[in-house]
Amino acid sequence: QVQVQESGGGSVQAGGSLRLSCSTSGYTDSYNCLGWFRQAPGKEREGVASIYTGTGSKYYEDSVTGRFTISQDNDKNTVYLQMNNLKPEDTGVYYCAADPGSYCYKPMDPSDFDYWGQGTQVTISS
């Protein structure tokens, strides 16, 4: 059973930075697609960024391109989301998700991801 655990949320003012971490375990596949999603109150869950752990290929949703960076640890089971120049519209619950044994596809579709963390709150004040 794949397990996914996020950490690192919090509250900062606009223009600030946060770094989210996602630790995963329990894979039987060597390479996987790991992604970050977010959900603002009253809105649907949307993709933010994803990384294919086999090649390190990355995808970013247009609204975060140039501000967010997804990266992986050497063990390829831990991914990070560095978020800079944060805006109030970045506020929401951020989820890490895993799609074992799969390439990453765009646009990101939550239904492609089988395992999810519990989410971590990110709040950006103006």
Side-chain angles (χ1 to χ4, degrees):
Q1 179 77 7
V2 175
Q3 295 186 332
V4 180
Q5 179 69 52
E6 309 98 338
S7 62
S11 299
V12 296
Q13 290 189 328
S17 298
L18 285 172
R19 189 191 196 209
L20 306 182
S21 299
C22 174
S23 177
T24 66
S25 63
Y27 295 113
T28 58
D29 301 280
S30 297
Y31 302 118
N32 312 282
C33 179
L34 299 180
W36 286 98
F37 291 79
R38 66 186 179 188
Q39 188 164 18
K43 294 188 177 181
E44 293 186 353
R45 192 168 298 188
E46 64 174 359
V48 174
S50 63
I51 185 167
Y52 175 60
T53 62
T55 61
S57 295
K58 305 172 185 179
Y59 164 77
Y60 297 96
E61 201 273 339
D62 289 347
S63 65
V64 306
T65 298
R67 301 187 298 122
F68 291 12
T69 302
I70 190 170
S71 61
Q72 61 178 340
D73 216 338
N74 289 336
D75 64 6
K76 303 185 186 302
N77 290 332
T78 302
V79 293
Y80 306 96
L81 187 68
Q82 177 66 41
M83 305 185 293
N84 298 327
N85 191 21
L86 283 159
K87 304 176 180 181
E89 51 264 42
D90 294 318
T91 294
V93 178
Y94 281 67
Y95 297 91
C96 182
D99 186 6
S102 176
Y103 294 105
C104 292
Y105 299 98
K106 50 186 179 182
M108 295 174 66
D109 185 343
S111 66
D112 289 337
F113 291 78
D114 299 317
Y115 301 96
W116 292 80
Q118 82 288 350
T120 185
Q121 178 70 44
V122 171
T123 303
I124 312 303
S125 58
S126 58

